[in-house]
């Protein structure tokens, strides 16, 4: 890699992780909006049943895997490292969210929910990165 290629590669790496963060955020928030608008979830800032938090966790897990895939697919090199970088961003953001909503009231959900978001951030991102690299390897072999 030449000296002029290095800054371009760093920018592409940052862009890959940023695009994945935006994708996960837009998908999660968009699904939340649809769930509230259709009445599946109660109005915003109203208490919600625990089973509905399980549903929210389920689609956030799927979106976390998709984000890891996106980060890996857009990465200029080392796709798993980019997926893990996304997982670290998710870990930091979900930890901040857990700290910010802890003991704030029932409208912020049960305590297991933010803890589950923290616990799943890295594994989901890694799984998405692994899915991408396996798919790319299979294409190259076949």
């Amino acid at each position: 890699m030449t000296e002029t290629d290095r800054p371009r590669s760093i920018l592409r790496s940052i862009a890959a992780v940023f695009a994945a963060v935006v994708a996960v955020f837009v998908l999660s928030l968009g699904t939340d909006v649809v769930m509230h608008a259709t009445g599946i979830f109660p109005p915003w800032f109203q208490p919600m049943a625990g089973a509905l938090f399980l549903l929210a966790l389920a689609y956030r897990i799927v979106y976390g895997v998709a984000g890891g895939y996106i980060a890996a697919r857009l990465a200029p090199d080392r796709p798993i490292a980019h997926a893990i970088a996304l997982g670290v961003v998710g870990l930091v953001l979900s930890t901040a969210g857990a700290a910010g909503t802890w003991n704030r009231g029932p409208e912020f959900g049960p305590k297991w929910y933010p803890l589950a978001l923290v616990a799943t951030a890295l594994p989901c991102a890694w799984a998405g990165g692994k899915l991408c690299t396996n798919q790319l390897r299979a294409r190259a072999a076949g």
Side-chain angles (χ1 to χ4, degrees):
M1 179 179 297
T2 67
E3 288 299 317
T4 57
D5 290 339
R6 183 92 176 120
R8 186 176 301 144
S9 179
I10 291 170
L11 287 175
R12 286 186 63 204
S13 291
I14 292 168
V17 174
F18 182 74
V21 168
V22 169
V24 171
F25 178 78
V26 168
L27 287 169
S28 296
L29 185 59
T31 304
D32 288 346
V33 167
V34 169
M35 296 297 221
H36 285 285
T38 59
I40 295 170
F41 288 176
W44 290 95
F45 305 111
Q46 297 298 313
M48 194 161 77
L52 294 176
F53 282 100
L54 274 175
L55 176 60
L57 177 63
Y59 63 75
R60 280 175 168 72
I61 287 171
V62 171
Y63 298 156
V65 173
Y69 184 95
I70 291 167
R73 188 70 177 94
L74 297 177
D77 57 14
R78 301 177 328 209
I80 296 291
H82 287 77
I84 294 296
L86 171 70
V88 169
V89 171
L91 178 67
V92 169
L93 292 175
S94 59
T95 300
T101 60
W102 203 259
N103 289 332
R104 293 283 304 265
E107 63 274 13
F108 290 99
K111 290 191 178 3
W112 64 261
Y113 179 70
L115 295 176
L117 294 176
V118 170
T120 58
L122 278 170
C124 289
W126 173 84
K130 191 69 175 162
L131 181 66
C132 179
T133 57
N134 288 347
Q135 186 182 59
L136 293 174
R137 200 171 295 128
R139 278 189 195 161

